[in-house]
């Protein structure tokens, strides 16, 4: 009896001649290779893969046999031109990485940029990405976020980068390996005590785990069980908390002065430049202040 994946893996996708397909692959659970991704991988002429052995295993699981070309950080520049020529000759190519979405802390940028420069159409087949997966389960603010990828390996550079990121108001996302998770956790504990951190490991896999805690508690939590330092990690770190009350008062003072000279929209724009606060926030505040001022002297009707 065919499984769901057998049933769809040989479906022919409508791949178009001369198109480059950027195909996301699972970050652990093979069930996350979408039917559309399977169909595209089954239909293209060639697949460019970060590691042809890793991708070979994935393809054979789905019964797909295709010529593979290695495309990794060491040969991407040299290999891209020949691949663009194949695309210009009408070939259909897929680009995959070992896991997740190509180009996200993975090879592919050089090829996609070259394709764009050569007017080769690029189609993305979206799917798993460890950063987005972790963000979506973290419970930390997700309206704005910064993806950092891997932090520097050297302690000094890593701490400096963390301090820069820590000053920003938005959630930031870091990739980490089992070799460095303890060191990074220690840095976070020392530099960002009080900040919420979601540690997500082995996402979509058998030993998937995600916890949210104060950064200061991370080293102790990791040390309590050696299994907790195993596997692949994403750290989602809460942004710099809202401005202190003193700054809020100063922002309001600036806005009140500007409102005496100009309409709310202009006052919000100028105040945003002065204070660094978001224009929309300032515009809403300006309207509130204007209404309060107008209401003050207006007799009730
Ligand atoms: N392109 C991939 C993506 O879309 O997420 C990322 C590739 S990057 C070379 C590999 C890193 O992603 C790992 O070191 C880890 O930080 C993170 N990662 C990948 N798979 C993961 C998983 N299943 N659970 C947690 N983190 C994962």
């Amino acid at each position: 009896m065919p499984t769901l994946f057998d049933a769809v893996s040989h479906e022919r996708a409508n791949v178009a001649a001369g198109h480059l397909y950027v195909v996301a692959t699972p970050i652990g659970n093979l069930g996350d290779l979408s039917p559309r991704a399977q169909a595209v991988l089954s239909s293209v002429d060639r697949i460019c893969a970060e590691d042809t052995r890793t991708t070979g295993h994935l393809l054979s699981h789905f019964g797909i046999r295709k010529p593979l070309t290695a495309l990794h950080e060491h040969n991407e520049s040299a290999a891209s031109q020949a691949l663009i020529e194949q695309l210009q000759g009408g070939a259909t190519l897929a680009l995959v990485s070992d896991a997740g979405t190509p180009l996200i802390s993975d090879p592919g940028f050089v090829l996609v940029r070259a394709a764009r420069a050569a007017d080769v159409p690029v189609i993305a087949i979206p799917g798993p990405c460890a950063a987005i997966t972790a963000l979506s389960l973290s419970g930390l603010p997700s309206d704005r976020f910064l993806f950092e990828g891997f932090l520097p390996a050297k302690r000094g550079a890593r701490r400096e980068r963390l301090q820069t990121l820590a000053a920003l108001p938005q959630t930031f996302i870091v990739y980490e390996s089992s070799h460095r998770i303890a060191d990074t956790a220690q840095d976070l504990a020392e530099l960002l005590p009080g900040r919420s951190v979601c540690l997500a490991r082995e996402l979509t896999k058998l030993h998937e785990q995600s916890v949210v805690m104060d950064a200061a508690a991370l080293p102790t939590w990791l040390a309590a069980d050696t299994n907790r330092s195993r596997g692949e990690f994403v750290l989602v770190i809460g942004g710099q908390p809202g401005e202190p009350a003193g700054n809020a008062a100063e922002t309001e003072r600036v806005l009140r002065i500007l409102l005496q000279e100009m309409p709310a929209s202009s006052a919000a724009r100028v105040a945003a430049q002065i204070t660094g606060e978001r224009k929309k926030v300032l515009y809403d505040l300006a309207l509130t202040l204007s209404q309060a001022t107008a209401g003050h002297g207006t007799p009730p009707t």
Side-chain angles (χ1 to χ4, degrees):
M1 173 134 152
T3 65
L4 170 68
F5 298 121
D6 292 333
V8 294
S9 64
H10 299 291
E11 200 179 279
R12 300 298 292 180
N14 284 330
V15 290
H19 283 48
L20 172 64
Y21 293 85
V22 181
V23 182
T25 58
I27 55 171
N29 190 320
L30 294 181
D32 291 336
L33 188 70
S34 75
R36 186 169 173 232
Q38 292 174 53
V40 166
L41 293 173
S42 300
S43 306
V44 290
D45 296 318
R46 175 172 294 279
I47 298 171
C48 307
E50 183 182 6
D51 180 328
T52 53
R53 267 194 359 169
T54 303
T55 297
H57 292 316
L58 177 77
L59 295 178
S60 69
H61 179 86
F62 290 97
I64 300 169
R65 287 171 65 89
K66 284 288 157 186
L68 294 172
T69 295
L71 192 80
H72 42 71
E73 60 172 327
H74 303 297
N75 77 345
E76 193 175 352
S77 300
S80 287
Q81 199 44 46
L83 293 168
I84 296 298
E85 282 163 22
Q86 289 180 31
L87 286 158
Q88 287 173 321
T92 51
L93 299 186
L95 167 69
V96 299
S97 60
D98 285 354
T101 301
L103 282 81
I104 307 302
S105 292
D106 265 343
F109 168 64
V110 174
L111 178 62
V112 171
R113 183 179 54 180
R116 288 279 166 200
D119 279 335
V120 166
V122 184
I123 306 283
I125 309 298
C129 173
I132 300 300
T133 306
L135 178 66
S136 70
L137 60 72
S138 69
L140 291 168
S142 54
D143 52 342
R144 290 165 179 223
F145 62 90
L146 185 150
F147 173 65
E148 174 68 6
F150 290 99
L151 290 164
K154 293 217 166 90
R155 182 168 182 268
R158 185 172 62 240
R159 288 171 72 92
E160 197 175 312
R161 185 69 193 144
L162 273 175
Q163 271 163 328
T164 302
L165 293 166
L168 303 173
Q170 63 268 49
T171 297
F172 64 99
I173 306 173
V174 167
Y175 281 165
E176 198 47 276
S177 70
S178 55
H179 310 299
R180 280 204 287 270
I181 188 67
D183 290 345
T184 299
Q186 190 60 41
D187 291 340
L188 286 169
E190 288 169 20
L191 299 173
L192 300 176
R195 203 73 78 85
S196 288
V197 176
C198 173
L199 177 151
R201 58 179 281 269
E202 297 292 87
L203 290 164
T204 79
K205 302 185 200 175
L206 186 60
H207 298 294
E208 168 163 358
Q209 187 174 31
S210 59
V211 287
V212 181
M213 67 186 78
D214 188 312
L218 271 176
T220 310
W221 183 84
L222 278 175
D225 180 349
T226 49
N227 287 324
R228 293 177 179 173
S229 300
R230 297 211 164 103
E232 299 187 283
F233 295 83
V234 183
L235 295 167
V236 184
I237 300 144
Q240 167 91 289
E243 56 185 359
N247 285 355
E250 177 61 11
T251 298
E252 186 176 320
R253 193 182 71 83
V254 168
L255 202 51
R256 278 187 191 281
I257 294 169
L258 293 169
L259 279 170
Q260 289 169 12
E261 307 295 330
M262 56 188 85
S265 58
S266 308
R269 183 167 41 76
V270 177
Q273 286 167 7
I274 296 170
T275 64
E277 179 55 276
R278 283 193 292 157
K279 204 164 72 182
K280 170 79 173 73
V281 171
L282 292 169
Y283 182 64
D284 290 345
L285 179 59
L287 291 183
T288 309
L289 293 175
S290 307
Q291 280 159 9
T293 308
H296 189 63
T298 312
T301 52

